Amino acid sequence: MPLQIYKRGRFYWAKGWVEYNGRPIAGPYRRSTKASTEAGARDWINRETELQIRRHVVGDEPSKTFSDAIMLYNASPKTAKQLIPIVEEIGDMPLGAISGALLKGLGPKLKPKASTDTWWREIVTPASAVINNAHELEGTPLIRVKPYDKFERIAQDKRRGKNSRVERKPADKEWIEAFCKAADPYNAALVRFMFETAARIDQAVSIEPDDLRPAENKVRVKAQKGHPESWITVSPQMMDELLALPHKRPKNRKTGKFMKPRVFGYGSSTGYNTRWKTICKSAGIPYLSAHPAGRHGFFTELVVRQGVDPVTAAKAGRWSDPNLPMRIYAHAETDEADVRARFRTKHVQADTAQTPKSKKS
């Protein structure tokens, strides 16, 4: 009989045969459609019927390759650039032949001097996204890749003669003040804003005059890293500092055209680097980029130095999970030698009053 549906538990199942010209060509079926509604189950039957009829008429289609999957994927310009060398290497391979070990093995071949973190971010992640996108659209094989372990990371660091995951030094109030004394008003306000709000550099430099609500001391920051656009509260002093900055229209380096006015005057998230290095050198302080100066400094200042509970600090810094900033952004500031010395420190004992009897003895 033709494919029919029936409900079993939460889902609808299909049973019967797929027929073509009155005779069965595939089956028998007794399979879950993984649909919780009757309409969804009928859609599954229609797709399965169409697939089996096409296979019966024209035979099995050739397997899709990684290059075919690329054509189905809507990549950003940055991701597209990362995918170019990957396509050149495995573009002709069928998707079913690509394993997690194969993707991880592309790292040493394509970027021999990079860290395992870079391999994961720029090779494994975009390639896996392409393959799994094809799985969603065409039903091709799904791929799951096991992350590089610490032994692989240490071995690669040894080969390239450089350690990865070097702990960042967060900014503190003294560093911020020294920086601001040597900086112009725009960069002084920029570093104070990020240190106070935990805003990312791209969010900070994108702020336009219309993103300020002086009466409420609120600033709008754009969506980023999976978080929606939001209005964040700043101190009155910070708002006064922002309002005192004359608006600047930065020039787009690629097109040569002037952009909309920006509060801090920068047109990109990397434009501050050279200027900050000069400011740090003039102030006699170590150079810190925007992330350790702002986001790392924010969380370490609140949790480690001021004792604010991590949940409150995470919410103020717009982290959805307080465990993440505790693992990455909270930096211990007790010297290791001081910790060891605590084991040699004699405990202070209370001086008890002597009784006449104890004196005699």
Side-chain angles (χ1 to χ4, degrees):
M1 62 178 176
L3 279 178
Q4 297 180 352
I5 59 172
Y6 66 98
K7 193 169 185 181
R8 180 178 172 185
R10 292 175 50 208
F11 300 107
Y12 283 85
W13 285 54
K15 65 178 180 179
W17 298 78
V18 172
E19 296 185 352
Y20 180 67
N21 287 338
R23 64 188 182 91
I25 58 173
Y29 286 81
R30 189 170 292 274
R31 184 187 307 176
S32 172
T33 65
K34 298 182 180 179
S36 58
T37 63
E38 184 175 345
R42 296 196 181 281
D43 287 341
W44 183 92
I45 286 178
N46 291 336
R47 290 195 302 270
E48 181 68 12
T49 301
E50 182 182 349
L51 173 65
Q52 295 301 338
I53 292 176
R54 186 170 67 247
R55 180 177 292 173
H56 175 75
V57 174
V58 302
D60 287 329
E61 298 178 7
S63 300
K64 288 190 178 295
T65 65
F66 188 79
S67 295
D68 295 329
I70 286 282
M71 303 304 294
L72 301 171
Y73 188 68
N74 185 20
S76 66
K78 180 180 179 180
T79 303
K81 186 176 180 180
Q82 294 171 345
L83 288 169
I84 291 174
I86 303 174
V87 175
E88 293 173 350
E89 191 67 30
I90 62 171
D92 295 333
M93 291 189 66
L95 295 178
I98 300 175
S99 64
L102 186 146
L103 291 185
K104 289 172 66 175
L106 292 177
K109 185 178 293 186
L110 300 180
K111 295 179 178 289
K113 297 297 183 181
S115 67
T116 55
D117 289 338
T118 301
W119 291 346
W120 183 266
R121 184 174 61 252
E122 298 184 5
I123 297 175
V124 177
T125 298
S128 300
V130 168
I131 295 172
N132 289 334
N133 177 71
H135 167 76
E136 290 288 332
L137 298 178
E138 301 287 337
T140 55
L142 181 71
I143 192 168
R144 289 187 176 91
V145 187
K146 183 180 179 181
Y148 294 98
D149 59 37
K150 67 177 181 180
F151 301 105
E152 292 172 307
R153 174 169 57 83
I154 292 171
Q156 174 59 10
D157 287 348
K158 186 175 181 180
R159 281 191 291 268
R160 70 195 190 111
K162 184 179 180 181
N163 290 330
S164 58
R165 301 189 183 182
V166 178
E167 185 175 2
R168 302 191 189 195
K169 176 180 173 57
D172 54 23
K173 288 184 177 180
E174 290 72 23
W175 187 94
I176 296 292
E177 290 306 313
F179 180 96
C180 292
K181 286 181 181 179
D184 58 277
Y186 289 92
N187 286 287
L190 175 61
V191 75
R192 283 200 184 102
F193 177 78
M194 289 190 296
F195 187 69
E196 180 178 313
T197 65
R200 298 178 183 276
I201 180 63
D202 189 45
Q203 291 175 314
V205 299
S206 299
I207 296 174
E208 299 177 1
D210 291 340
D211 295 326
L212 304 181
R213 286 182 180 171
E216 304 171 46
N217 290 325
K218 288 186 177 294
V219 179
R220 178 168 53 194
V221 293
K222 71 177 187 178
Q224 200 170 58
K225 292 278 186 176
H227 295 279
E229 174 188 289
S230 61
W231 288 89
I232 60 177
T233 303
V234 298
S235 64
Q237 296 85 351
M238 186 76 255
M239 180 57 71
D240 290 342
E241 199 168 349
L242 297 178
L243 294 174
L245 299 174
H247 305 147
K248 287 185 178 181
R249 294 185 63 190
K251 182 182 289 187
N252 188 312
R253 295 179 181 179
K254 294 182 179 179
T255 64
K257 296 181 179 179
F258 284 98
M259 304 167 66
K260 291 182 178 180
R262 299 281 184 92
V263 170
F264 296 111
Y266 287 111
S268 72
S269 59
T270 58
Y272 76 97
N273 254 314
T274 302
R275 178 61 181 149
W276 275 33
K277 290 177 180 178
T278 302
I279 294 171
C280 290
K281 185 176 180 180
S282 176
I285 55 178
Y287 168 73
L288 297 180
S289 63
H291 208 57
R295 206 154 170 82
H296 283 255
F298 169 89
F299 199 80
T300 301
E301 177 66 30
L302 287 184
V303 176
V304 178
R305 302 183 190 124
Q306 298 190 25
V308 175
D309 70 273
V311 175
T312 300
K315 183 177 181 181
R318 297 169 305 288
W319 283 281
S320 56
D321 181 4
N323 292 317
L324 174 65
M326 281 298 294
R327 188 173 68 250
I328 298 176
Y329 292 88
H331 300 264
E333 298 196 324
T334 302
D335 183 75
E336 185 177 354
D338 179 62
V339 173
R340 307 301 177 218
R342 292 173 183 266
F343 289 93
R344 297 291 180 179
T345 303
K346 293 182 178 180
H347 296 288
V348 179
Q349 297 180 349
D351 185 16
T352 57
Q354 290 184 328
T355 63
K357 185 175 180 180
S358 64
K359 287 182 179 180
K360 184 177 180 181
S361 63

